[in-house]
Amino acid sequence: MKMEERITPLIQIYHDRVPDLLQELFETPPFRRLSDVGMHCGCDYSSFPLFRFRPMAEQAERYTRDLHSLGAALIVQHFTGDLRQSTAGLLHDIATPVFAHVIDFLKGDHVRQEATEEATGEMIETSPDIMAMLQKYGIQTEEVSDYHLYPIADNPSPGLSADRLEYTLGNFYCRGRKSLEEIRLLYENLFCVRNEKGEPELAFASEKAAEEFALGALENSRMYTADEDRYCMQYLADLLKKSLEWGILKPEDLYSTEKRVIGLLQTDERSRRLWEEYRKFSRICTTRQRPEDCYSVRVPSKLRWIDPLFRKNGGAVRISETSSAVRTEIEKLRSMDFDLWIYVPEGAEAAARFLQNM
């Protein structure tokens, strides 16, 4: 699919043009694969109301890793003008497997959620198309295989980076939380400053915009840490683990597309039943005691929030230093109780039989 067919109204906000290198990389096979790897880690295949997204705009494109990566790259390009940095931003998710961070759960990395980044350099170097593009523009692999090198692209949480900015604005858009015009106003309020470490970081010109963004990001975080989210991701991780054990999937299938993996799951009665049950999940329950005769999980979550800088008295301060509303919501997030068993109140018969004793 050509780039012009994938450009959404949201991405058009980030920068006025797509540099030629980014466009050429976007159209390579490894990158086209990401058009069928979702941003919501497979949760949107369930029937939980939390993941029934209704964009405010008529454009209802599924939020996928290629769109996020292109958006992050254009944000980096907009604020740095540096093609190497924006290319690193574009390629930062190139090794994302199907269902994304579900594979972190599969590898026992559900709190840090960094295992999916391990293969980025290898994925770049084993792609003749990507390597040809980099060589054409005189760029070395090590300059673009680790976006952590560039603070505008990525920085330690809870700072504001292009990656965090894009997936926050992307969720505002696809979840219908803000209109494109509201997002545009937030984006146009941003500029670059030096943070406490003397490194460049995105910041807001006004305190009001910083608070609006931070509170919206915290509302997104409640989705990432919700019982439904953790249940979905652990269930899918266990389903994939069993499917690998049964020989229905091969490890390399995890780096194909979600359409392919779902198709393979439906070729075997056991995995097909587990997948069909998953698609029906619509209601969640919690309890202190582990329930019997059903699939249940007790799993913590990575806590995500953003504490952006804003301009004040010729300098820049974190919004949490001035906003009691932001501080309150951060504390609510940090005090979440994960010591509960999560289960669905009906169904999951196949899950109880195949997955519960893993």
Side-chain angles (χ1 to χ4, degrees), residues 104-124:
D104 293 323
F105 278 64
L106 180 63
K107 295 181 178 181
D109 187 36
H110 49 268
V111 174
R112 291 170 63 248
Q113 295 188 12
E114 295 175 354
T116 52
E117 299 179 7
E118 294 172 354
T120 301
E122 179 183 358
M123 188 74 74
I124 292 171

Side-chain angles (χ1 to χ4, degrees), residues 6-223:
R6 297 290 289 155
I7 296 291
T8 66
L10 176 62
I11 288 176
Q12 293 174 352
I13 291 174
Y14 297 145
H15 197 57
D16 57 1
R17 63 176 294 271
V18 181
D20 292 342
L21 173 57
L22 301 189
Q23 181 165 338
E24 291 172 31
L25 287 170
F26 188 88
E27 294 174 356
T28 60
F31 215 92
R32 287 202 299 270
R33 180 186 73 86
L34 296 183
S35 67
D36 191 28
V37 177
M39 283 294 290
H40 295 104
C41 305
C43 296
D44 47 335
Y45 290 106
S46 75
S47 294
F48 287 119
L50 182 62
F51 306 113
R52 303 273 64 80
F53 305 126
R54 293 182 176 85
M56 294 179 74
E58 291 183 3
Q59 201 281 336
E61 179 74 57
R62 186 182 181 221
Y63 191 22
T64 50
R65 291 280 159 175
D66 65 328
L67 297 177
H68 163 65
S69 298
L70 179 59
L74 292 178
I75 291 169
V76 175
Q77 184 68 25
H78 184 78
F79 287 101
T80 71
D82 188 315
L83 191 58
R84 283 171 172 77
Q85 293 189 47
S86 58
T87 300
L90 183 73
L91 297 174
H92 82 277
D93 270 350
I94 197 70
T96 300
V98 295
F99 308 130
H101 292 299
V102 164
I103 307 306
D104 293 323
F105 278 64
L106 180 63
K107 295 181 178 181
D109 187 36
H110 49 268
V111 174
R112 291 170 63 248
Q113 295 188 12
E114 295 175 354
T116 52
E117 299 179 7
E118 294 172 354
T120 301
E122 179 183 358
M123 188 74 74
I124 292 171
E125 291 178 343
T126 56
S127 168
D129 299 278
I130 292 177
M131 292 302 293
M133 292 301 102
L134 297 182
Q135 184 177 10
K136 176 182 175 181
Y137 287 85
I139 296 176
Q140 302 299 312
T141 305
E142 59 269 20
E143 294 178 300
V144 296
S145 60
D146 183 5
Y147 79 135
H148 302 296
L149 295 173
Y150 307 114
I152 292 297
D154 186 63
N155 56 31
S157 181
L160 179 57
S161 64
D163 181 26
R164 293 190 195 98
L165 174 64
E166 203 296 318
Y167 70 61
T168 301
L169 298 180
N171 275 303
F172 287 168
Y173 178 54
C174 80
R175 299 180 68 208
R177 295 303 192 263
K178 292 188 184 297
S179 68
L180 284 170
E181 183 57 26
E182 289 171 321
I183 291 172
R184 185 189 304 277
L185 290 174
L186 283 173
Y187 189 72
E188 291 177 351
N189 199 256
L190 289 164
F191 69 110
C192 284
V193 298
R194 292 282 169 177
N195 62 19
E196 304 92 335
K197 297 179 180 179
E199 296 177 342
E201 183 174 331
L202 298 176
F204 288 94
S206 75
E207 181 177 8
K208 180 181 178 181
E211 182 179 62
E212 178 185 348
F213 178 86
L215 290 174
L218 282 158
E219 198 277 326
N220 282 340
S221 294
R222 286 191 282 276
M223 176 184 69

